[in-house]
Amino acid sequence: MKAVFLLQWRRFYRKPMLVLAMFGLTVIFVSVTAAGGQSGPQMTPVYADESMSELQAQRWLERLNGGDQFQFELMAESEARSYVAEGDVSQAVNLLETDYRLLVGREDPARFALDSFLRRIYSEELRLENAEQTTPGIRADMESSLADPALTLTVESLQGEDSFQYNGQLQLLFGMTLFFVIYTIMFSLVRIVDEKRTGTWSRMIISPVRKWQMYLGHLGYSFLIGFSQITLIFLLFRFAFGFELGERFWLLIAIAACYTFSIVALGLLIISLITKPQQLGAVIPIVATGMAMVGGAFWPIELVTNEILLAVSKALPITYGLQALTSVAVYGNGVQAVAMPLLLLLGFGSICLAIAIRLMEWRSAS
Amino acid sequence: MLETDKLTKQFKDTIAVDDVSLVLKRGESVGLLGPNGAGKSTAIAMISTLMKPSSGDVRLNGKSVLKKPDDMRRVLGVVPQKIALYEELSAYENLKFFGRLYGLSGNKLEQRIEYVLELVGLADRKKELVKNYSGGMQRRVNLAAAMMHEPEVLIMDEPTVGIDPQSRNHLLETIRKLNRDEGMTVLYTSHYMEEVEKLCDRVYIMDHGKVIAEGTKEELKAILSDQETVLIEFDQNYPELFKKLSEIEGVQHSTIEEQSLKLIIPRGTRMLAALFHEAERYGAQVINVNVQTPTLEDVFLRLTGRKLRD
């Protein structure tokens, strides 16, 4: 096994371009695209409807800026429209007395988060106003109670089902990293097909090396090259680009390992089904891009509403990889919250691996 | 030392190897001769434990290797028909890998690499990438890779296909040296008759998956001992004349090669007068007439009715 494993590194040394290209593409794509985004809240222009007084508008603004997820700035309608028209922001908010309208310039995943946030604030505020009509002074009571609570309750979700928080930088980093590493891993596994074509695989079979050692040498290399790529990218963006990856970096690395394992196994399964290198050259990009689109690498899975796509995404390792990474880095969750996605990744990988090796052996025997 | 017993391989409706029994004694050089598609490569794949036979057995020193191939794999070196090497690596790196597969390491591995590179005449170009080698040099590395673990038995599957005459001679000389000087047992398959004649003590002739004849070169040629081969060269091709000559009484087989005609006739047949008479009638000029003793090629022709390279 050691000989086969070391051989792959020697071959990588001679032909490193593919791996370096995937690494470089991830870095370039994330750094260039994320440069337009921010990790902190983006300014959202707000303009009040003519029917509203300035005082009412200010009260709504204070209420909206109460959280730290968004930062709203009150301005004239023309100015807000100009921001949107020039593409400086994706959307602006038109405040009405009991409702709001969104002025959307371009599709942005953050729109859904903004809409959800506005709906919650408006609904709370309107309920409070209704309650004030029957119970005067309830607002003051509530505010004093909130300022000095009788008890503090901390809610932590085991499944990481917190309300949706969108972090564009991390979405991009995780999505692109998990997407490009699929290419690195799967194209490294194509070597098995190539070895069968050139006859070096047969040469190994008639040597004293066992077949499982041959597979392990190849899979070990593919795993390590994919895992190294993810880890190096996370390290680079954390320390060189200053991305906030949360306090549990080690957990992100553990997730990366489980994800890499599942992709190595999936790659082997694809190779066992499609045996011609030319066909693999077409199939791998289709699988990688398809998985990335449905699994939430290009946009958050939370934005997908189609039931079929959501059902398909449940069968894809990238969905669980992204879910686990986001849970740890964005929501600050711990091991318990990501235990299920990690188990699913390992289970998925084990099943793919077992089927793939059986299929390959069956093919070579027949 | 190595024997196959009624080895058979069936792929769906096709029987690629049919009831083949071979014997290789220690230190012997045996040829497996046959045209493309005769079943030689399939037979070799089964002997080298790469493929399981549908029936029959392969034995090394009397023990079957089908269920426990390890002993066989340790003593066997196989030179495949394809150039089974990593072309992006150098000859040295390839040999290092194949040596490691057999558990070689450290000084022993380095010494063995040096030895086999010397053997195949590539010691001074060992650092060059295989993809930059000529076809002949790649074939030599292909042989060297099979030699890394000092095999007792060397099986070669058409190792000289597609290479230049110089590399071919070098390769044949190397194989001869391994067999005669180092006592290595060799099973050599080819459809180049002259290679087998040059290298092998005994020959098996295969066609359509079966062994159709076997013996020493002399024994096989004795099949045609009552016959002789007449090669007549003309100034050009005369299709009608060639047809006429092929029909002369006593001609057992004829082959046309461009402007030459090869006839197999019973020894002592008097046909030269008829030959010159017909040639004159067709206005053909005879350039050369050569009466030969039969070659293995002639034996094959007689046995199968076709040429080896058909």
Side-chain angles (χ1 to χ4, degrees):
Chain A
M1 179 222 146
K2 193 177 154 196
V4 181
F5 180 72
L6 291 177
L7 175 82
Q8 305 315 315
W9 288 102
R10 175 52 62 176
R11 295 178 78 188
F12 167 66
Y13 172 72
R14 293 284 186 194
K15 270 188 170 178
M17 276 318 291
L18 178 79
V19 176
L20 294 181
M22 291 307 143
F23 184 88
L25 275 173
T26 313
V27 174
I28 291 166
F29 204 85
V30 176
S31 57
V32 169
T33 317
Q38 305 165 350
S39 58
Q42 194 189 9
M43 187 276 285
T44 306
V46 172
Y47 61 96
D49 192 68
E50 287 170 359
S51 61
M52 285 175 82
S53 68
E54 198 173 322
L55 189 67
Q56 276 179 307
Q58 279 298 340
R59 274 185 54 196
W60 272 116
L61 187 70
E62 277 172 32
R63 186 77 176 85
L64 293 174
N65 278 332
D68 54 6
Q69 200 179 342
F70 295 96
Q71 185 207 331
F72 298 93
E73 203 175 308
L74 190 62
M75 57 185 74
E77 181 177 350
S78 58
E79 197 182 350
R81 282 185 179 277
S82 152
Y83 266 107
V84 175
E86 287 173 16
D88 294 337
V89 295
S90 307
Q91 58 263 317
V93 182
N94 178 16
L95 297 176
L96 306 174
E97 241 180 293
T98 57
D99 204 356
Y100 62 90
R101 294 280 181 274
L102 284 178
L103 181 66
V104 178
R106 63 168 186 269
E107 280 302 325
D108 183 339
R111 178 166 67 84
F112 296 92
L114 175 69
D115 191 26
S116 156
F117 174 76
L118 288 170
R119 201 177 306 133
R120 181 167 61 82
I121 297 293
Y122 261 81
S123 133
E124 278 175 16
E125 187 60 27
L126 292 175
R127 267 190 291 160
L128 204 56
E129 275 181 17
N130 277 339
E132 269 181 317
Q133 285 172 6
T134 52
T135 319
I138 189 170
R139 185 185 290 269
D141 288 349
M142 199 189 75
E143 280 171 0
S144 78
S145 298
L146 282 172
D148 183 19
L151 58 95
T152 306
L153 183 67
T154 306
V155 179
E156 194 171 305
S157 164
L158 283 177
Q159 302 293 322
E161 289 168 352
D162 315 62
S163 66
F164 174 49
Q165 288 181 38
Y166 178 71
N167 183 321
Q169 270 191 342
L170 294 189
Q171 165 68 32
L172 199 62
L173 174 65
F174 294 150
M176 290 304 114
T177 306
L178 299 199
F179 169 58
F180 281 115
V181 84
I182 298 174
Y183 285 93
T184 305
I185 293 169
M186 290 197 181
F187 278 115
S188 74
L189 286 169
V190 171
R191 284 181 182 175
I192 295 179
V193 180
D194 214 39
E195 293 222 33
K196 288 183 177 179
R197 184 182 58 80
T198 59
T200 48
W201 188 261
S202 297
R203 265 203 144 132
M204 282 193 268
I205 289 175
I206 56 173
S207 77
V209 173
R210 308 265 178 212
K211 234 175 203 176
W212 65 264
Q213 293 174 312
M214 290 158 59
Y215 280 116
L216 211 58
H218 272 281
L219 298 181
Y221 163 78
S222 297
F223 174 83
L224 214 58
I225 200 88
F227 178 64
S228 305
Q229 183 174 323
I230 299 178
T231 306
L232 285 174
I233 285 170
F234 284 179
L235 285 169
L236 183 74
F237 278 91
R238 185 183 185 188
F239 294 109
F241 291 85
F243 277 36
E244 277 296 329
L245 290 176
E247 290 167 4
R248 297 184 177 93
F249 189 76
W250 63 270
L251 192 51
L252 297 182
I253 300 303
I255 296 165
C258 295
Y259 174 73
T260 309
F261 168 71
S262 69
I263 296 298
V264 168
L266 178 65
L268 197 68
L269 181 63
I270 291 170
I271 283 167
S272 68
L273 293 167
I274 298 157
T275 51
K276 289 185 180 161
Q278 313 90 291
Q279 289 176 333
L280 282 168
V283 168
I284 290 172
I286 292 171
V287 170
T289 314
M291 279 212 309
M293 287 173 80
V294 180
F298 299 154
W299 48 76
I301 192 79
E302 286 81 358
L303 307 186
V304 178
T305 51
N306 185 301
E307 292 296 327
I308 296 169
L309 288 182
L310 283 172
V312 172
S313 75
K314 301 276 186 236
L316 304 176
I318 198 167
T319 310
Y320 300 108
L322 285 166
Q323 186 187 325
L325 289 171
T326 310
S327 177
V328 173
V330 178
Y331 296 95
N333 288 322
V335 179
Q336 280 182 320
V338 294
M340 186 51 79
L342 293 191
L343 281 174
L344 286 168
L345 284 174
L346 294 175
F348 178 89
S350 305
I351 292 167
C352 285
L353 209 58
I355 298 172
I357 290 178
R358 277 201 166 270
L359 210 56
M360 278 184 160
E361 289 311 297
W362 174 74
R363 270 179 196 258
S364 61
S366 63
Chain B
M1 181 183 193
L2 178 62
E3 59 185 313
T4 70
D5 181 19
K6 295 180 178 175
L7 210 54
T8 301
K9 184 69 187 180
Q10 185 163 7
F11 298 105
K12 292 183 181 167
D13 300 331
T14 313
I15 299 177
V17 174
D18 190 3
D19 226 16
V20 167
S21 297
L22 310 173
V23 177
L24 271 87
K25 293 174 193 151
R26 193 176 292 278
E28 208 180 16
S29 177
V30 174
L32 189 56
L33 202 60
N36 290 329
K40 306 186 297 290
S41 295
T42 310
I44 283 183
M46 289 189 283
I47 295 169
S48 59
T49 72
L50 186 62
M51 186 186 279
K52 285 194 173 160
S54 305
S55 64
D57 200 2
V58 180
R59 287 190 284 267
L60 177 71
N61 297 325
K63 283 184 192 168
S64 174
V65 300
L66 295 184
K67 284 190 179 159
K68 289 189 174 175
D70 291 5
D71 289 345
M72 180 70 136
R73 289 175 178 178
R74 262 188 285 276
V75 302
L76 197 67
V78 178
V79 183
Q81 197 172 353
K82 284 183 188 170
I83 309 282
L85 300 167
Y86 300 97
E87 60 167 23
E88 72 271 34
L89 302 184
S90 66
Y92 172 83
E93 288 166 333
N94 268 283
L95 297 179
K96 195 167 192 173
F97 167 66
F98 288 113
R100 277 178 173 160
L101 285 184
Y102 288 87
L104 297 178
S105 61
N107 279 343
K108 198 174 175 193
L109 176 61
E110 294 297 331
Q111 284 166 6
R112 191 65 195 166
I113 293 172
E114 289 305 316
Y115 172 77
V116 293
L117 282 169
E118 284 289 343
L119 188 74
V120 297
L122 288 172
D124 53 340
R125 300 185 67 175
K126 64 181 180 183
K127 297 284 182 190
E128 284 179 43
L129 302 186
V130 167
K131 66 179 173 190
N132 296 334
Y133 283 168
S134 68
M137 289 161 76
Q138 290 179 345
R139 288 265 167 212
R140 286 193 252 165
V141 184
N142 214 26
L143 168 64
M147 292 294 303
M148 278 303 294
H149 59 293
E150 300 181 56
E152 291 175 31
V153 183
L154 190 63
I155 297 184
M156 281 170 281
D157 190 2
E158 311 221 13
T160 58
V161 170
I163 62 172
D164 57 280
Q166 194 192 348
S167 288
R168 190 176 174 195
N169 282 338
H170 191 285
L171 211 61
L172 294 178
E173 276 310 311
T174 308
I175 297 161
R176 203 211 296 261
K177 193 176 158 196
L178 287 169
N179 175 242
R180 294 197 181 156
D181 300 351
E182 299 191 15
M184 190 176 284
T185 309
V186 173
L187 177 61
Y188 190 93
T189 82
S190 179
H191 60 258
Y192 291 115
M193 192 67 71
E194 59 276 19
E195 290 180 2
V196 173
E197 288 213 62
K198 191 174 174 183
L199 286 175
C200 303
D201 311 320
R202 278 194 310 119
V203 181
Y204 288 89
I205 297 179
M206 272 188 86
D207 193 31
H208 297 302
K210 287 176 182 283
V211 171
I212 54 172
E214 67 114 337
T216 62
K217 284 177 278 188
E218 290 68 30
E219 283 169 346
L220 288 173
K221 285 175 187 174
I223 295 172
L224 298 181
S225 60
D226 56 343
Q227 289 159 331
E228 56 194 10
T229 305
V230 182
L231 184 67
I232 314 142
E233 194 182 342
F234 292 88
D235 59 328
Q236 58 176 285
N237 188 309
Y238 295 95
E240 283 194 26
L241 170 63
F242 289 180
K243 188 168 180 283
K244 189 87 182 167
L245 292 175
S246 302
E247 289 166 357
I248 290 177
E249 196 181 340
V251 173
Q252 294 174 334
H253 204 280
S254 66
T255 322
I256 298 167
E257 280 175 7
E258 294 176 357
Q259 54 195 55
S260 302
L261 179 69
K262 195 181 203 181
L263 304 173
I264 296 177
I265 54 172
R267 192 175 289 277
T269 304
R270 291 170 179 273
M271 66 163 296
L272 287 182
L275 162 69
F276 284 109
H277 174 72
E278 290 296 337
E280 198 174 338
R281 227 162 55 84
Y282 281 86
Q285 192 183 343
V286 177
I287 293 174
N288 190 20
V289 178
N290 191 0
V291 181
Q292 303 170 328
T293 52
T295 62
L296 283 179
E297 179 88 40
D298 299 325
V299 175
F300 187 82
L301 196 66
R302 167 72 186 276
L303 291 170
T304 65
R306 59 197 176 114
K307 292 174 71 180
L308 257 173
R309 280 163 234 181
D310 280 351

